[in-house]
Amino acid sequence: MTRTVLFAIAILAGLAILALAPAFLGEYGLGFMVSLMSYVTLATAWAMFSGPTRYISLATVAFFGIGAYTVAVFNETLPYPFVLIVAISIGALLATFVGFATLRLAGVYFVIFSFGLAELVRQLITWFEVNITGTLGRYIFLPFETRHIYWQLLALAAVTIGIGFWIRQTRLGLALKVIGDDELVAAHSGIALARTKVLLFVLSASLMTLAGAIQSPRWVYIEPAIVFNPTISFLTVIMALLGGATRLWGPALGVIPLMILFEWLSASFPDHFSIFLGAMFILIVFLLPKGVLSAVETRLARLKREANA
């Protein structure tokens, strides 16, 4: 068998093992796996756009929260599949508007705008709930157990990684790489900068929105402060950068150790969790700017050169 076939078999076997996790894990362990699959999706979707273009976005929680709140609003009036379609549509529409309006920004300006977008969405929903509906917070009544949410997120994570792999094999992936290296060169090469960046931004945001929508029944009761928590955006960026935002499997590999670490920190130091989060972000940016995988490859290449010298 070829290497590609063996790789595909290994992936399918891994997915089958992960799908059987609810049979062996308790409620706490399964809840951890739900969070793990959610962040694998978020980090991979984030890296899908931000990895090649090098646009650091802190708007992840804006789309995640939109997905969750859409389910909260429509879960009693629409069938669940239609609710997911509505959530994706709203997330894609917002991403399209934001993309065409702001992707001409770069560097720190885009970072600031993306962070402000998440806060703006949270404040607008809070204002609408308080002043129009007269309430703040909604209940979600869907017949899903934790294992059902886990299976949906596992499927979404697999699809997200699959989409990332497909993009890398197409002209779109090559165009994004050129844009990330030098936008001026990309423009002179005939690449439609705005259209390409907006397309990937919308796709990335849609996957983030769907992750929030699928995970929302786990909370039962949600309000803006819960689903628009900025920690979600920062955790996503840290995980993607740790594993390597330019690598297909990098974000997923970055999620696993950090989820274990953050789970322990949030339980052991709940009042100082944000301090550790900020310190971790700084350390990763300074020590591993291209991710663990890149650092390992660089180290191995250096050892090989020394051995051949």
Side-chain angles (χ1 to χ4, degrees), residues 299-309:
R299 178 61 178 171
L300 291 175
R302 183 181 302 169
L303 292 174
K304 185 177 181 180
R305 287 196 302 267
E306 293 175 353
N308 294 332

Side-chain angles (χ1 to χ4, degrees), residues 4-272:
T4 303
V5 174
L6 290 173
F7 184 65
I9 292 175
I11 291 177
L12 292 175
L15 287 175
I17 294 173
L18 288 172
L20 294 174
F24 304 98
L25 297 176
E27 191 63 26
Y28 175 82
L30 193 54
F32 176 81
M33 292 299 293
V34 166
S35 298
L36 187 71
M37 289 304 143
S38 177
Y39 275 110
V40 166
T41 300
L42 292 176
T44 304
W46 183 90
M48 192 181 296
F49 169 77
S50 296
T53 62
R54 301 175 186 174
Y55 279 68
I56 303 299
S57 171
L58 293 177
T60 300
V61 74
F63 300 106
F64 180 88
I66 285 173
Y69 227 86
T70 300
V71 173
V73 172
F74 293 106
N75 76 98
E76 295 185 71
T77 57
L78 291 176
Y80 181 66
F82 287 101
V83 175
L84 296 183
I85 293 174
V86 172
I88 293 176
S89 300
I90 295 174
L93 184 63
L94 176 63
T96 301
F97 172 77
V98 171
F100 278 113
T102 66
L103 285 181
R104 299 177 187 273
L105 299 173
V108 68
Y109 300 104
F110 182 77
V111 176
I112 294 172
F113 175 85
S114 62
F115 183 78
L117 173 67
E119 184 63 20
L120 175 64
V121 172
R122 183 177 75 87
Q123 293 295 341
L124 285 175
I125 291 179
T126 301
W127 178 88
F128 182 84
E129 291 285 71
V130 172
N131 295 280
I132 305 300
T133 66
T135 184
L136 184 62
R138 294 174 180 266
Y139 287 95
I140 299 176
F141 298 106
L142 288 172
F144 291 145
E145 298 177 13
T146 306
R147 58 194 174 99
H148 300 135
I149 298 172
Y150 168 71
W151 284 327
Q152 292 181 69
L153 287 172
L154 174 61
L156 180 60
V159 169
T160 303
I161 293 175
I163 292 174
F165 175 78
W166 173 78
I167 289 173
R168 289 169 179 269
Q169 312 306 312
T170 64
R171 295 178 61 184
L172 179 59
L174 179 60
L176 282 168
K177 188 177 185 304
V178 176
I179 291 173
D181 291 337
D182 193 319
E183 289 197 6
L184 185 59
V185 172
H188 286 301
S189 301
I191 297 174
L193 298 181
R195 185 174 62 187
T196 302
K197 290 191 291 185
V198 169
L199 176 62
L200 257 295
F201 187 68
V202 171
L203 179 58
S204 172
S206 298
L207 293 168
M208 294 174 180
T209 304
L210 191 54
I214 290 174
Q215 192 173 348
S216 60
R218 185 185 175 201
W219 286 301
V220 180
Y221 172 83
I222 67 171
E223 59 182 46
I226 296 175
V227 295
F228 290 98
N229 186 343
T231 302
I232 295 174
S233 290
F234 286 102
L235 283 176
T236 299
V237 175
I238 293 172
M239 290 170 176
L241 291 179
L242 176 64
T246 59
R247 310 300 178 99
L248 177 62
W249 295 99
L253 294 176
V255 169
I256 298 172
L258 285 187
M259 272 298 301
I260 296 173
L261 176 62
F262 290 142
E263 190 76 11
W264 176 74
L265 287 175
S266 60
S268 303
F269 307 98
D271 297 330
H272 305 89

